[in-house]
Amino acid sequence: MTTQLIIKGAKENNLKNINVTIPRDKMVVLTGLSGSGKSSLAFDTIYAEGQRRYVESLSSYARQFLGQMEKPNVESIEGLSPAISIDQKTTSKNPRSTVGTVTEIYDYMRLMFARIGIPHCPICGRVIESQSIDQIVDSIMELPEGTKVMILAPVIRERKGSYEKIMERIVREGFTRARIDGEVHNLTEEKVVLEKTHKHTIEIVVDRIIIKEGVESRLTEACELAIHQGEGLVMANDRTYSTKLACPEHGIGIEEMEPRMFSFNSPFGACPACNGLGFLQRIDPDLIIEDKELSIIGGALSNVFASMEVEGYYRQTIEALAKEHNTSLSIPYKDLPAVFVKELLYGTGDRTINFLYKSRTRGTQSMLKHPFEGVIKNLERRYRETTSDYIKDKMQKYMSITPCETCGGKRLKPEVLAVTVGGLNISQMADMPVGEAIKYLTQRKLTQKEELIAAQILKEIYERLNFLVNVGLDYLTLSRAAGSLSGGESQRIRLATQIGSSLVGVLYILDEPSIGLHQKDNSKLLATLRELTDLGNTLLIVEHDEETMYAADHLIDIGPGAGIHGGELVAQGTVEDIKNCEASITGQFLSGKRRVEVPEQRRTGTGETMRILGASENNLQHIDVDIPLGKFVCVTGVSGSGKSTLINEILYKSLAAKINRAKTKAGEHQDITGIEYIDKVIDIDQSPIGRTPRSNPATYTGMFGAIRDLFASLPESKIRGYEKGRFSFNVKGGRCEACNGDGIIKIEMHFLPDVYVPCEVCKGKRYNRETLEVKYKGKNIYQVLDMNVSEAVEFFKHLPSISRQLNTLEEVGLGYIKLGQPSTQLSGGEAQRVKLATELSKRSTGKTLYILDEPTTGLHFADVDKLLQVLDKLTDAGNTVVVIEHNLDVIKRADHIIDLGPDGGNRGGQIIATGTPEEVALVENSYTGEYLRKVLK
């Protein structure tokens, strides 16, 4: 078997016909400037060819569904193993998907609880045990004389089948009554029509007995018959008796314990109120009130009612309600009586309101007498009933997520939550951070029988939990929604899952696995990656992290620049080989010839401070945090310490609601002071700049409007009568109508991912032939959109209205991206920098608060240096820049650091250190300080 992976003539994207030899069964790091061609080589060439060969190996029948995969632009690849890509795409956004379900740990937990769980009564808490028929009869005979007893034998419980045949059999065997979905039917007198669904429950009524002297033997006989027919139930005085598991006092019984009973995705276990989601989406009163200082007729409810005309029906109804409460609609909302506000929002129930209604259309008057539905009840009803997506989207702005009141956010039925292992139910165990769950299971006290039954299950749970610890995710809980994970976290979860699969001979391709990871946890991740190679696999890691480079067996440096200036093999070999290569920018930073410099002095700021008081959302420990204004502030700490919760969930959402009037609800905190010192808050996050391929850097930054104006002003356009709209691919006229200006055609594959193919008419150029005939400096509108930023800077250098945005895109290290590059093809870090460039091109007020979450994602050392110059420019203008970051090159440049910890999850959420980098470096128990001491020397 070959010991090398040999790539010849790679020309995908900006790769310049390069030949690369990669050693197999080693940890190989692929590095270089952002946009140099690393991903083009790793994902678009090597992984794409691996996938294509896999599909080609399938039968012709399977291939007809998968379609023909295009061969990447490469002459040949030898020694290619089956390839698995572990990228930063977040896991499922489905609210039913959790860390536990994604890693399959929760499946093993369900099996464990089904096999060794101890059931309790959810009311009294006593351990539930099965009862014999004699015990049941003795209990029932103690009930008062005259008590009606019904004995039932289950025939069908929520499973598929032909119900008509079952009903015929019941009647044929002499049973005349049955309880169907909770209601008793006389089968000889009425015809029962059942829908074709698997959700019916049918129980035959073996007998109905009234307790009196002498019925004990008949009761025993009927119970024995019920048990014989199907392990039946006995019901008396709203209590249930069963030979299965049931509470002798409250009669609450549960079915035989099975794994599906502990699943919140199954009707057998899911809380019926929230269907296993654990939360409900409801209208939030804080979001429908425009301003509590306003009166109702002054606009306090203008969010939901465009007007409150005197003649309007709703206005007259609310005035009548106010009159009943001796209040007025003209006083500030905050001063209204609480009882009136409650009925205003949630209605009067059955209580009616009487008032004289004056019709503004007919001019008539009539006495009305009816209950008031309530503003919130009205909105929720309209949301349920409407089929309009526009109305639903509008109403969702006034909704917030609230825990389900029935299950308390636990997702499961009460009787399921009453089953315990080692004193905890399955929800409590899933709510524990991974690190604590390992400790708990290690110290558990099980009987010898339980240990014997659960040994293999516990082994699987331990292994998977330890894999998560090894990739730095010990702070996560198994109940954490998968959709709330960052790209780095979801990538490391998939990495942990792959280790558990124990595959051999695989080529793993990873995209910056160190993202979102504190230096403290990086060594654990590297040990995990080494474990994969030790098993006999090859790792190809696209990475900018210095520690990962030093841990690699082999380095490949692509460059020397980005975009058209990249795509070449600059150097490869050991770290020392890269250091000694003069042409390698990576080598210059690794050797110390180039570095991100520590500033000679820190900014003093404006002197004002913004203070967050009593922050207690998620794991924050009711902390007070000072943010000095006019400074470059870094929020640091280990993964899961509470950084994003503090800045994104509390600070940004609170300021966005108060300053930008956004409909956001901030995380739990008491107050934020010092807001008067800023006039704008901008969150530059890593969410896409658009949801469709129609959005691109040119449209997002606004320069496309100026480019279309330019083309519309050309003599050729004026002769033809072409206006600005002609050069838009979003409207009819100039675009290609075959693909509606998309340039691609989507082919729906139903149960497979959709396939996109270039439009056969315009060949992917998005415009029709006539539009493409208009040219500026020899280039048509498509060719302009196909330029990268660096090319466009030179092309439009004499047009300030366009060059300003282009220059800022290049400043933030995006010179390699194309103007018309679809937003769906941009990484989170690239999208974030497009947003940053857009803000930079605007005129600053000098009182803006900018918030960035890990802006160095996907950035090379040299690009980080560029980014810091941009952030310095924003801060020097008097603005405040708050950055959540792990990158030490950024942290050491900060004017002020807020370090959270000491660890992640419930062991975090405290302030460990604040001050300049030099001051934080002196704090002994700060992990960030420990690593800062090394870089500040």
Side-chain angles (χ1 to χ4, degrees), residues 27 37 269 472 523 678 776 806 868:
M27 186 193 298
S523 56
I678 64 170
Y776 171 71
L806 289 169
L868 285 166

Side-chain angles (χ1 to χ4, degrees), residues 697-729:
T699 58
Y700 186 85
T701 59
M703 78 173 82
F704 193 43
I707 291 173
R708 290 191 293 120
D709 283 334
L710 171 64
F711 272 84
S713 69
L714 297 174
E716 183 70 16
S717 294
K718 292 188 179 297
I719 292 171
R720 298 183 179 211
Y722 291 172
E723 296 183 354
K724 182 178 181 178
R726 179 83 192 190
F727 301 95
S728 170
F729 47 72

Side-chain angles (χ1 to χ4, degrees), residues 168-389:
E168 289 173 6
R169 180 172 62 81
I170 292 172
V171 175
R172 188 170 60 249
E173 292 184 5
F175 295 102
T176 59
R177 288 186 299 277
R179 190 170 79 152
I180 303 170
D181 298 335
E183 185 177 345
V184 177
H185 297 265
N186 190 322
L187 302 179
T188 59
E189 296 178 1
E190 58 181 305
K191 183 178 180 181
V192 179
V193 179
L194 298 173
E195 296 177 10
K196 290 184 178 180
T197 172
H198 65 279
K199 292 187 177 180
H200 289 300
T201 297
I202 304 172
E203 300 156 302
I204 57 173
V205 181
V206 175
D207 211 339
R208 274 179 171 166
I209 297 171
I210 297 177
I211 297 297
K212 57 185 178 182
E213 192 175 342
V215 300
E216 187 171 347
S217 60
R218 183 180 161 209
L219 182 62
T220 302
E221 184 181 348
C223 288
E224 287 174 345
L225 178 59
I227 297 301
H228 175 72
Q229 289 292 332
E231 297 184 353
L233 305 170
V234 181
M235 300 186 69
N237 274 5
D238 295 325
R239 288 174 58 180
T240 304
Y241 301 86
S242 172
T243 54
K244 289 193 172 184
L245 299 168
C247 174
E249 182 177 347
H250 298 97
I252 296 178
I254 60 175
E255 293 292 307
E256 182 180 350
M257 292 194 296
E258 300 176 24
R260 67 180 181 178
M261 173 181 157
F262 297 92
S263 171
F264 44 77
N265 293 323
S266 162
F268 294 94
C271 166
C274 62
N275 292 319
L277 289 173
F279 62 83
L280 298 169
Q281 194 175 23
R282 288 180 172 164
I283 299 291
D284 191 324
D286 291 337
L287 298 180
I288 65 172
I289 307 303
E290 181 71 23
D291 185 345
K292 292 186 178 181
E293 296 292 335
L294 300 175
S295 66
I296 290 178
I297 59 175
L301 288 174
S302 61
N303 275 334
V304 287
F305 301 116
S307 61
M308 287 288 288
E309 301 99 333
V310 176
E311 302 86 358
Y313 170 80
Y314 225 78
R315 165 75 176 269
Q316 293 182 53
T317 307
I318 293 175
E319 279 188 333
L321 179 65
K323 190 175 181 181
E324 286 191 1
H325 289 281
N326 296 317
T327 190
S328 167
L329 301 186
S330 60
I331 67 173
Y333 183 89
K334 65 181 179 63
D335 296 330
L336 290 169
V339 65
F340 166 71
V341 170
K342 183 179 179 181
E343 291 197 340
L344 171 71
L345 298 179
Y346 298 100
T348 58
D350 295 330
R351 187 173 69 78
T352 59
I353 301 173
N354 304 330
F355 67 98
L356 182 65
Y357 171 61
K358 300 174 182 177
S359 173
R360 60 178 174 179
T361 53
R362 295 193 298 268
T364 59
Q365 296 185 6
S366 56
M367 283 298 299
L368 294 184
K369 181 179 181 181
H370 60 76
F372 177 60
E373 185 179 22
V375 174
I376 287 178
K377 295 287 187 185
N378 173 272
L379 291 172
E380 289 179 340
R381 176 179 57 78
R382 286 161 55 196
Y383 179 80
R384 290 193 304 269
E385 295 174 355
T386 186
T387 57
S388 166
D389 289 337

Side-chain angles (χ1 to χ4, degrees), residues 13 100 102 151 168 209 239 359 389 462 510 545 747 841 909 911:
N13 297 329
V102 168
I151 297 96
E168 289 173 6
I209 297 171
R239 288 174 58 180
S359 173
D389 289 337
Y462 278 139
L510 291 87
D545 177 65
I747 300 174
S841 64
I911 293 180

Side-chain angles (χ1 to χ4, degrees), residues 649-695:
E649 294 300 315
I650 295 178
L651 179 63
Y652 172 68
K653 287 187 175 180
S654 180
L655 297 183
K658 293 175 181 176
I659 297 175
N660 301 346
R661 304 184 78 83
K663 294 301 168 190
T664 57
K665 191 165 186 179
E668 194 67 31
H669 70 288
Q670 289 177 349
D671 195 12
I672 297 181
T673 62
I675 297 177
E676 65 273 16
Y677 299 122
I678 64 170
D679 59 10
K680 192 162 53 172
V681 58
I682 296 172
D683 181 28
I684 307 175
D685 61 15
Q686 295 190 16
S687 61
I689 59 173
R691 295 182 181 179
T692 69
R694 291 181 179 274
S695 177

Side-chain angles (χ1 to χ4, degrees), residues 604-612 624-631 633 651 672-678 880 896 898:
T604 56
T606 62
E608 285 96 15
T609 298
M610 185 178 296
R611 169 169 278 201
I612 304 171
D624 298 337
V625 183
D626 287 343
I627 299 174
L629 301 181
K631 290 186 178 183
V633 179
L651 179 63
I672 297 181
T673 62
I675 297 177
E676 65 273 16
Y677 299 122
I678 64 170
T880 305
H896 185 82
I898 300 167

Side-chain angles (χ1 to χ4, degrees), residues 871-888:
L871 298 181
D872 282 342
K873 186 184 293 186
L874 285 175
T875 315
D876 289 340
N879 302 298
T880 305
V881 177
V882 176
V883 176
I884 301 170
E885 192 54 85
H886 292 293
N887 188 302
L888 289 170

